[in-house]
Structures are given as C-alpha cells and as structure tokens.
Amino acid sequence: MKKLIRDNIPEIMKRDGVECKYYVADKDEFKEMLIKKLGEECSELQVALTENNMAHVYEEYGDVTDILNMLKNIYAIEGNTLRDSMVRKHTVKGGFTKRLIGEFKDE
C-alpha cells in the first residue's frame, strides 16, 4: 500500500527501529496522493468532531489545513480570488448560520 507521509516520518520510523521504504513522488503523483490524503484526513476530522474529542479535532483540523494550504500552492489558488469566490457564494446562497436542514425526495 502506498500513502503520502509527512517529511519526518522516515527518520522517526528509523529511530524507532521500523523499516520504512519510500520514494519521492513526481508532481502528478504527489497531487493525486495529496487529494487522496485530504479525503482521509477529512474523514478523521469528522470522526473526531462526532466523538467531541477536541484534542483529536485540533490535530485533524491542522492536518486538513496543511493539505489545503499545499493544494492552494500547487494549484496557484490566489487568496484574493478565493475570498471573492467565497463572498459571492455567501452573498448569493448565504452561509450556515441559520442552521437550516433541507428535506428532499430521493431520486
């Protein structure tokens, strides 16, 4: 199984006496693995939030934020453009402050 690991993991595993095989991904594989990692970390954040485990929430929120920041850099997502997009969406569709839950028929 292949998975994206943090930069210091090989050294940590070696120090702990655990073998860690790894290689440096090319740009395309890195993007693919980073997107996959985002899904994994979002799932872990969801579990932490559901369990109301705040120490775990902070850890997973940090992981998700790290990945989003990396993707922002890779895809050259500009801060002003991102903010403008968020403001437009909020202006047109609103936010989530009213805590509305929609009920829809299954198709």
Side-chain angles (χ1 to χ4, degrees), residues 8 41 68 89:
N8 295 340
E41 296 299 340
L68 288 174
K89 187 161 207 168

Side-chain angles (χ1 to χ4, degrees), residues 42-103:
C42 283
S43 293
E44 291 175 13
L45 176 58
Q46 186 177 16
V47 168
L49 288 164
T50 301
E51 294 174 349
N52 201 29
N53 180 340
M54 293 311 294
H56 196 205
V57 167
Y58 282 108
E59 182 179 328
E60 298 306 332
Y61 195 93
D63 289 345
V64 169
T65 302
D66 279 347
I67 294 167
L68 288 174
N69 286 333
M70 183 62 67
L71 289 168
K72 181 179 174 202
N73 292 335
I74 289 171
Y75 285 93
I77 297 170
E78 298 177 6
N80 290 334
T81 305
L82 178 58
R83 277 188 296 281
D84 291 347
S85 177
M86 292 170 67
V87 167
R88 264 193 314 278
K89 187 161 207 168
H90 195 271
T91 300
V92 172
K93 295 186 176 185
F96 297 99
T97 57
K98 294 181 182 178
R99 302 186 321 228
L100 302 175
I101 305 296
E103 295 179 348

Side-chain angles (χ1 to χ4, degrees), residues 8-24:
N8 295 340
I9 295 299
E11 290 83 16
I12 292 169
M13 292 181 74
K14 183 178 180 180
R15 182 191 67 216
D16 293 345
V18 178
E19 181 181 0
C20 177
K21 292 183 181 181
Y22 66 95
Y23 63 93
V24 177

